[in-house]
Amino acid sequence: MAIRPARPSRRAHPARAPRRPRTAAPCAAIALIGLLAAACGATEPTTAGMAATTPATTPATTPATSPATTTATTTATATATPHSQEAGTPAVGSGAVPRARATGPSPSPTSATPSKPEKTPTPIASTGPGEGAVNVLALPGYVEWGGTDPKVNWVTPFQARTSCKVNLRTYDAAATAAGARSLDPGSFDVVAAPPEVAGKLIDEGSVAPLNTSLIAAYHDIPKRLRRLETRKGDAYGVPYLWGVNEVLYDSSKEGPRTAAALYGGTGKVMLKDSPLTIADAALVLKRRGADIEDPFQLTPSQLDDAVKLLSRGKPAGRVYWRDPIEVVQGFASGSVRLAQGTPYQRDVLARGGRPVKAASGPVTGWADAWMVSSAAAHPSCAYEWLDWVSSVTVQKDAAEWVGLAPANSEACAGRTRRICADDESFDDVHFASRPAKNCAGGDGVCVPYGQWVERWKRLVG
């Protein structure tokens, strides 16, 4: 039985509207609108100044506790609407982490011309006394300090435990993956990276291989996840949160047998506006017998076939979504036949009274990982951070807040159990890796990520 996130917690994020009571929003409110879009591969920046240039906030000093239980909403639309953003907050797709005035030092802004390490980075042998600070670059919503909800805070306890002050910044992972923005390894100590970004950072030498013996909970993470961001036996990332992509359908009507239904038939379908959606089409071809080993590492002819499959059907019946709320609204209104989505969207719809289920068969997935800069100014505090965010306590808090499965299997207990379906097998999940010309170390010649981006732009128009 494949491991995949089950129905996420119903606990609540606060609404973003000022002076509005914090009730009626699901636990991962940030995940539903912004964070889930980033995690699922939303690729185009929208408006409001992306997070890469957003000033950091110094963590608040509220003690860390789990979010308070709130009332579930009665309709899918009502469940989703608290996530609308007020003026000045990051745009949908970059997350909804609130802006706040920085009260302490923060890393230098991301540079368009990143500094290159002088030599191939190597793991540190040991850590010394903490340097007093750590520069954290994160996906929006992945690090909470009590600034969004005073009860959601896993930064303040870290600072108290280690004396390493957290200087937090968020960034636009989609623009970074596509090459529109580069990350200067001198501007951060640790970074939370989705697969598209992680592969780029490794190839550039912007992150260093890890000494995993310095991370206490590292071996509590399943091997399948630990192997995702490796090169020649060296681990470059500590998996943090992961999820899967599903084909959703209204179970009150006749449902599809497999994901192939997305690419045929009549009626409106919704696809994620992401170059990696090509891999989902390639997975359908693989299931039909195509000689595809990894749907994220395709030869030119395989990429052509996947794009051809995606091109089937009338353009008027195809919607490419960037905001996850579009999927919720589509099913809530009955205007959508099928949609690519996630277990979290399915859960929101189910709690709103919509009988939405997922088609059977293999799925694609992704895991976001923490990595250490090859030019880290605070390496000891960086490893303290990796040790902290891979612990059971933080993994439970992060999983419940974001609505994704924790990488540490020991965290699949108690209030987080509902997010984890089965932590014994990943057989039906094809995890994302950055498409690379060398097929990510495999055989043959594959199409690099930049060309996936170009093909996707031509397809979507």
Side-chain angles (χ1 to χ4, degrees), residues 5-27:
R7 298 168 66 145
S9 169
R10 302 182 185 184
R11 295 176 182 246
H13 269 224
R16 289 291 296 135
R19 295 184 294 278
R20 180 174 293 179
R22 292 177 176 177
T23 59
C27 170

Side-chain angles (χ1 to χ4, degrees), residues 260-278:
L262 275 174
Y263 313 105
T266 59
K268 183 183 292 185
V269 299
M270 303 183 76
L271 301 175
K272 291 182 302 177
D273 191 357
S274 165
L276 292 190
T277 293
I278 296 172

Side-chain angles (χ1 to χ4, degrees), residues 2 8 28 45-47 99 113 120 124 135 148 176 186 216 221 263 278 304 341 346 372 405 427-428 444 453 456:
T46 49
T47 59
R99 297 176 186 237
T113 54
T120 303
I124 66 172
N135 297 329
T148 306
T176 299
I221 299 171
Y263 313 105
I278 296 172
D304 287 343
R346 173 164 50 86
V372 174
D427 291 345
D428 284 344
V453 173
W456 183 255

